[in-house]
Amino acid sequence: MLTRPLFVLLLAGLPMTQLLAEPAADAATANGSAPAFEEPRQAVTWRREELKEIERLVRQLRFDLVNNRDARGAAPRLEELAERASGDHLRPAFIEGSHGRGSEARARIWEEWEAFSEGFDALEARVEALRAAAEAEDYAAATRELSDLSLTCRSCHRRYRY
């Protein structure tokens, strides 16, 4: 089931095979601001690397904000984290059928797409709360937000990842 009018996607120049293969693709894919994948294996590889980068950023932010108490130094990483951890950036890489060999994703993702997708909204909210704490130079709040961010990731991984 397509979530947007078909004519909008066709005007964006997406091939019909991509429209049918990506029922949960969003407008970001249509306007070119998120990656498009020709096959599920490309999406698996991309999302694995992207999620590793998010994990790396969170570790660096923990060092910046908790250990060094350096909100200004953390600002570029917070900006990058907000971009990489956005649902618009990540959702297109979860092409239906991109589980199985080489992937840690469970098929349950597509069976429970709405709930899975809400996890990205929760992730974005946690990142925004972390940014707000860092901008206020409230390092105790930043520490709590980093923990909450990690819990948000783990809760989704427990349900939707092998």
Side-chain angles (χ1 to χ4, degrees):
M1 179 171 113
L2 295 172
T3 58
R4 289 175 305 290
L6 181 58
F7 71 91
V8 172
L9 295 171
L10 292 172
L11 288 174
L14 293 173
M16 184 59 76
T17 55
Q18 185 175 358
L19 295 176
L20 297 175
E22 297 182 18
D26 56 22
T29 302
N31 70 24
S33 65
F37 304 100
E38 292 182 23
E39 61 180 43
R41 292 295 105 200
Q42 290 175 328
V44 169
T45 301
W46 181 88
R47 74 181 180 229
R48 178 173 278 164
E49 292 305 313
E50 241 3 65
L51 293 170
K52 283 181 188 175
E53 283 300 308
I54 290 170
E55 187 177 358
R56 179 190 60 80
L57 285 167
V58 170
R59 279 194 311 271
Q60 290 176 332
L61 286 164
R62 187 172 302 283
F63 186 79
D64 290 342
L65 296 171
V66 176
N67 297 355
N68 289 342
R69 296 180 175 265
D70 182 12
R72 287 188 200 145
R77 280 189 268 284
L78 285 164
E79 183 66 29
E80 184 179 354
L81 178 64
E83 291 172 16
R84 287 183 183 265
S86 79
D88 287 346
H89 184 68
L90 293 171
R91 278 185 195 101
F94 288 90
I95 299 169
E96 189 165 3
S98 62
H99 60 286
R101 192 177 57 102
S103 174
E104 295 178 357
R106 292 182 184 204
R108 162 186 282 176
I109 289 171
W110 297 279
E111 296 164 5
E112 302 174 7
W113 181 258
E114 290 299 320
F116 176 73
S117 192
E118 288 171 4
F120 290 117
D121 299 336
L123 179 61
E124 287 179 23
R126 294 278 46 102
V127 170
E128 189 52 43
L130 175 60
R131 287 175 76 177
E135 287 172 4
E137 296 186 18
D138 185 345
Y139 297 107
T143 301
R144 285 189 304 274
E145 292 303 334
L146 279 163
S147 292
D148 289 348
L149 176 63
S150 294
L151 289 173
T152 299
C153 293
R154 268 190 299 245
S155 69
C156 191
H157 286 181
R158 281 187 194 119
R159 182 151 184 91
Y160 298 109
R161 184 175 146 199
Y162 287 109

